[in-house]
Amino acid sequence: LLPMLNLTMLGLLANFWMQTCAPQLFVSQRCVLPSPGLRSAAHVARGAQVTPDMLKDVFAMIDADPALQWVFKRRKFEAFGKRAMPKDIPAEWYETFLRDVESGSIEQIELAGPDLIEKVKKTIKGNPAKAEKWNSLTLLPENGGTGTSDPKRLPREFVEKALAELQEAWNK
């Protein structure tokens, strides 16, 4: 009876402790240390999983800025590969990304302008083979893409390079 009582008491204490601590103090049962100025992306103990609030903050930020979205997707692909799910990426990676954004150290991307967008549209319009080649150049991460073929959401330099490759493929 005594060992059972001890285990029950230990379980109750652990349960009480977990319930009385604020939810933001724990991420995957690892302690989060407060870190002012980093939104809800508080400094997370090593190996912790990303929280839904952190994901919400990151995606709200990148959804509002196509250039930032490009940088985010390229960094994610380069660090974790093509199939990395957002919830499987360590919280530390998101923290670093948010810190870089907040400090202004994220590389500034110039998106393709109207002239280049129109050139892409004219090049692929009515030509399924060229459109397919454009998609393979812009959609696939291993070709430098990020999953979008919309030229207005792509960096100018990347669109120029993809157009040059597309023209070169058809001039052979």
Side-chain angles (χ1 to χ4, degrees), residues 33-151:
L33 306 172
S35 181
L38 287 180
R39 299 180 174 218
S40 65
H43 178 72
V44 181
R46 283 244 178 269
Q49 294 299 309
V50 66
T51 65
D53 285 342
M54 186 185 294
L55 284 178
K56 190 171 80 175
D57 284 353
V58 170
F59 285 111
M61 192 181 305
I62 66 170
D63 287 345
D65 182 355
L68 187 58
Q69 188 175 58
W70 169 269
V71 173
F72 173 83
K73 287 182 176 183
R74 287 306 310 161
R75 283 187 177 190
K76 186 178 91 147
F77 171 73
E78 290 162 8
F80 303 103
K82 187 175 179 177
R83 303 272 183 228
M85 298 300 293
K87 65 179 178 45
D88 296 332
I89 295 172
E92 293 88 3
W93 188 84
Y94 287 103
E95 287 178 324
T96 301
F97 183 79
L98 287 172
R99 256 193 312 275
D100 289 350
V101 170
E102 290 172 354
S103 72
S105 64
I106 290 279
E107 54 268 33
Q108 298 300 308
I109 302 293
E110 177 189 356
L111 297 177
D115 57 326
L116 205 50
I117 293 167
E118 193 57 37
K119 189 173 180 181
V120 168
K121 288 179 179 179
K122 284 180 181 177
T123 302
I124 64 174
K125 185 177 181 179
N127 189 331
K130 283 186 177 181
E132 185 178 328
K133 178 69 174 169
W134 171 258
N135 286 336
S136 77
L137 292 170
T138 58
L139 290 174
L140 301 175
E142 48 276 359
N143 290 340
T146 60
T148 184
S149 61
D150 183 355

Side-chain angles (χ1 to χ4, degrees), residues 10-21:
L10 183 61
L12 287 172
L13 281 173
N15 189 32
F16 173 77
W17 186 68
M18 293 295 280
Q19 288 179 359
T20 57
C21 292

